[in-house]
Amino acid sequence: MCGLKTAADIAAAADAGAAYVGFVFFDKSPRAVTIEQARALAFDVPMGVAKVALVVNPDDAFLDALMAAVPLDMIQLHGQETPERVAQVRARVGLPVMKAVGVGTVEDLDQIDAYEAVADQILIDAKPPKDAVLPGGNGETFDWSILASRKYWTKPWMLAGGLTPENVAQAVRITGARQLDLSSALESAPGVKDAGKIATFANAVSGIE
């Protein structure tokens, strides 16, 4: 569950069984937090729940400041980072790295092979609309059937993009996803997580056979 901004958000996500909680470091996002805010929030995360930093085209100075202040478990790269840059970031931070890949057509899947060689996990997200300000968290889905022939890669992967309590079972059935990434579907307003929606989504996932 990504884009958490308060201790209450973290508690709700943990209670719902989230394996990962994400902090967004992208100023244009309504879910953005500062390094100082994330440091405080990180200490509210229960043991066993991974703390993930979502960053967009970060430079080395920002990564160094982030790593010095926040006790993280994973970095999620959500920009236009090349495979070479992913490898550099992974070596610099000394943590597992997840690379987000925007998908709109089956051809977009081709890039995953290069990222698999350097990343620890892949996030398969809906490609943002051309006029989108945010690289993710736009509540957009994509044609899940394009994953039907490529349900398996050599690295673990997450499915993201427009998942809701109403469509998550179908998404899992079509794609074979074993991990899901949520943000906007858990909100009552942009950047405002809703404990009730978090619980509703968790219940929907628990009912998937």
Side-chain angles (χ1 to χ4, degrees), residues 111-128:
Q111 60 188 312
I112 293 177
D113 292 337
Y115 285 116
E116 272 198 299
V118 291
D120 298 276
Q121 293 206 43
I122 302 294
L123 177 73
I124 301 178
D125 198 357
K127 184 179 288 187

Side-chain angles (χ1 to χ4, degrees), residues 1 4 8-9 12-14 16 185-186 193-203:
M1 296 184 179
L4 308 184
D9 293 345
L186 308 175
K193 291 296 187 284
D194 184 303
K197 290 191 174 186
I198 289 173
T200 297
F201 192 89
N203 288 336

Side-chain angles (χ1 to χ4, degrees), residues 2 22-29 31-39 52-58 62 66 70 72 74-76:
C2 195
F23 305 123
V24 174
F25 299 92
F26 184 62
D27 290 343
K28 295 180 180 179
S29 172
R31 306 167 187 102
V33 294
T34 65
I35 288 178
E36 293 74 19
Q37 289 171 325
R39 176 178 172 80
V52 183
L54 186 158
V55 293
V56 179
N57 304 318
F62 179 81
L66 181 63
V70 186
L72 295 166
M74 180 177 286
I75 300 293
Q76 183 187 122

Side-chain angles (χ1 to χ4, degrees), residues 44 90 107 120 140 149-150 192:
D44 290 320
R90 188 174 184 271
E107 288 76 19
D120 298 276
E140 299 283 335
S149 62
R150 285 292 307 270
V192 181

Side-chain angles (χ1 to χ4, degrees), residues 18-159:
Y20 307 79
V21 294
F23 305 123
V24 174
F25 299 92
F26 184 62
D27 290 343
K28 295 180 180 179
S29 172
R31 306 167 187 102
V33 294
T34 65
I35 288 178
E36 293 74 19
Q37 289 171 325
R39 176 178 172 80
L41 291 170
F43 289 105
D44 290 320
V45 179
M47 291 290 292
V49 179
K51 301 175 290 294
V52 183
L54 186 158
V55 293
V56 179
N57 304 318
D59 60 24
D60 288 347
F62 179 81
L63 289 172
D64 291 347
L66 181 63
M67 294 302 302
V70 186
L72 295 166
D73 300 298
M74 180 177 286
I75 300 293
Q76 183 187 122
L77 296 173
H78 219 298
Q80 290 75 49
E81 301 88 3
T82 64
E84 293 75 18
R85 180 56 177 161
V86 173
Q88 291 171 1
V89 170
R90 188 174 184 271
R92 190 173 193 91
V93 302
L95 290 177
V97 170
M98 180 187 301
K99 178 65 180 89
V101 176
V103 170
T105 66
V106 69
E107 288 76 19
D108 292 325
L109 299 178
D110 294 341
Q111 60 188 312
I112 293 177
D113 292 337
Y115 285 116
E116 272 198 299
V118 291
D120 298 276
Q121 293 206 43
I122 302 294
L123 177 73
I124 301 178
D125 198 357
K127 184 179 288 187
K130 291 182 178 180
D131 59 347
V133 174
L134 306 179
N138 293 296
E140 299 283 335
T141 61
F142 63 95
D143 181 2
W144 296 317
S145 68
I146 66 177
L147 296 180
S149 62
R150 285 292 307 270
K151 292 182 180 180
Y152 306 103
W153 283 274
T154 62
K155 298 289 178 64
W157 64 278
M158 284 189 178
L159 179 67

